[in-house]
Amino acid sequence: KPLLNGTLAPAGMTMQDDLAFAHRNIFQHPNVGPFIGKQLIQKLVTSEPSPAYVARVTAVFNDNGAGQRGDLKAVVRAILLDAEARGARKIDPAYGKLVEPVLYMTGIARAAAARSDGVYFRLQSQSLGQFVFYPASVFNYYPFDYVVPGTPLLGPEFGIQTSTTAINRANFANGLLFANGIAPDPTVYGATGTRLDLGRYQALAADAPALVELLDRDLLGGTMPAAMRSAIVTAVNAVAATDSLNRARNALYLVVTSPHYQVQR
């Protein structure tokens, strides 16, 4: 059988050996490194990596320094430690990636110390355009080469971001944070529902600047702009100092619905 790069698969092999030979042939193709490297960069760092960034990651895919091809541990290390992932380019307006719906939800859940059976989150994922376990096609929930409308920039996750799903993100955050827990779904056997524990934030709620500082560290990696910090402090102080729960809820809601949280940089 003729395969890529003029390679011929020998006759008479078993079906299993035939398939393994074809996989090895594809794996050796020079396009594999750039293709996988770019997609991993898009998932982990930024939707629009420079050609030089992709080339550096491809070089590690081709050879991890010990003559091994396809060492994904080395590839991920190269992606995350690259100057383009950690350097000054982070302030470029074209840098970063829209956080996809499932990661948006789980990020909030972790910050809020949620205990959940997952039923609520799975159902909510549908309204955000990423219905868990039911992608629109075998290729993913969104196209890897999607271009953000009105720009020349790649933004795969924007393929499922519409005016409706954008509003639904805010509605999800509001419904989760301001509800006193999500009751178990009676149609799901063994369901336990979803409950949050905001005690960590309530402990600082009387001190609005300290509360916002903690949220900045937890959710934005210390990158909150001064204007945003000031606005959230003002909003928190508009709630009675004795109402620690709603002060914490308001602050958390304002952070997670901001573009600074929804666009990973």
Side-chain angles (χ1 to χ4, degrees), residues 6-253:
T7 300
L8 290 175
M13 290 194 294
T14 65
M15 181 170 61
Q16 184 175 356
D17 289 342
D18 230 3
L19 185 60
F21 188 94
H23 282 164
R24 284 194 299 271
N25 174 253
I26 294 170
F27 176 64
Q28 293 298 330
H29 195 279
N31 284 348
V32 172
F35 181 78
I36 290 179
K38 184 172 183 177
Q39 290 215 42
L40 284 174
I41 293 171
Q42 287 182 317
K43 295 292 185 297
L44 297 172
V45 179
T46 182
S47 294
E48 185 74 50
S50 70
Y53 188 5
V54 176
R56 291 190 294 271
V57 171
T58 298
V60 175
F61 180 91
N62 293 340
D63 186 340
N64 67 353
Q68 182 181 350
R69 178 179 175 83
D71 178 357
L72 290 185
K73 182 177 180 179
V75 169
V76 171
R77 183 187 299 114
I79 290 170
L80 297 180
L81 297 181
D82 191 88
E84 196 164 323
R86 310 180 72 82
R89 190 173 172 234
K90 284 181 175 289
I91 63 174
D92 187 329
Y95 186 88
K97 60 186 287 292
L98 178 69
V99 175
E100 59 191 288
V102 167
L103 297 183
Y104 176 75
M105 292 190 298
T106 53
I108 298 173
R110 288 193 182 99
R115 297 178 63 87
S116 176
D117 54 20
V119 175
Y120 175 74
F121 293 101
R122 179 173 177 274
L123 293 176
Q124 288 293 308
S125 72
Q126 185 172 18
S127 69
L128 302 188
Q130 193 176 31
F131 193 20
V132 175
F133 306 131
Y134 290 93
S137 80
V138 297
F139 297 105
N140 204 340
Y141 294 91
Y142 44 80
F144 75 92
D145 57 353
Y146 183 81
V147 176
V148 181
T151 79
L153 302 173
L154 289 173
E157 293 81 4
F158 280 98
I160 52 174
Q161 179 83 336
T162 66
S163 56
T164 298
T165 58
I167 292 171
N168 287 344
R169 286 188 180 221
N171 289 342
F172 162 79
N174 182 79
L176 178 67
L177 295 174
F178 287 91
N180 292 316
I182 307 299
D185 186 335
T187 67
V188 177
Y189 176 77
T192 57
T194 297
R195 299 198 68 81
L196 309 183
D197 180 0
L198 301 182
R200 187 161 176 263
Y201 302 116
Q202 286 182 253
L204 294 176
D207 184 345
L211 171 61
V212 176
E213 175 69 23
L214 179 59
L215 287 167
D216 182 22
R217 292 202 307 269
D218 284 358
L219 294 168
L220 300 181
T223 63
M224 186 182 293
M228 177 179 173
R229 183 185 301 270
S230 176
I232 296 177
V233 168
T234 299
V236 171
N237 282 331
V239 180
T242 55
D243 190 354
S244 64
L245 177 57
N246 280 316
R247 283 169 75 97
R249 283 170 166 169
N250 282 353
L252 192 54
Y253 174 81

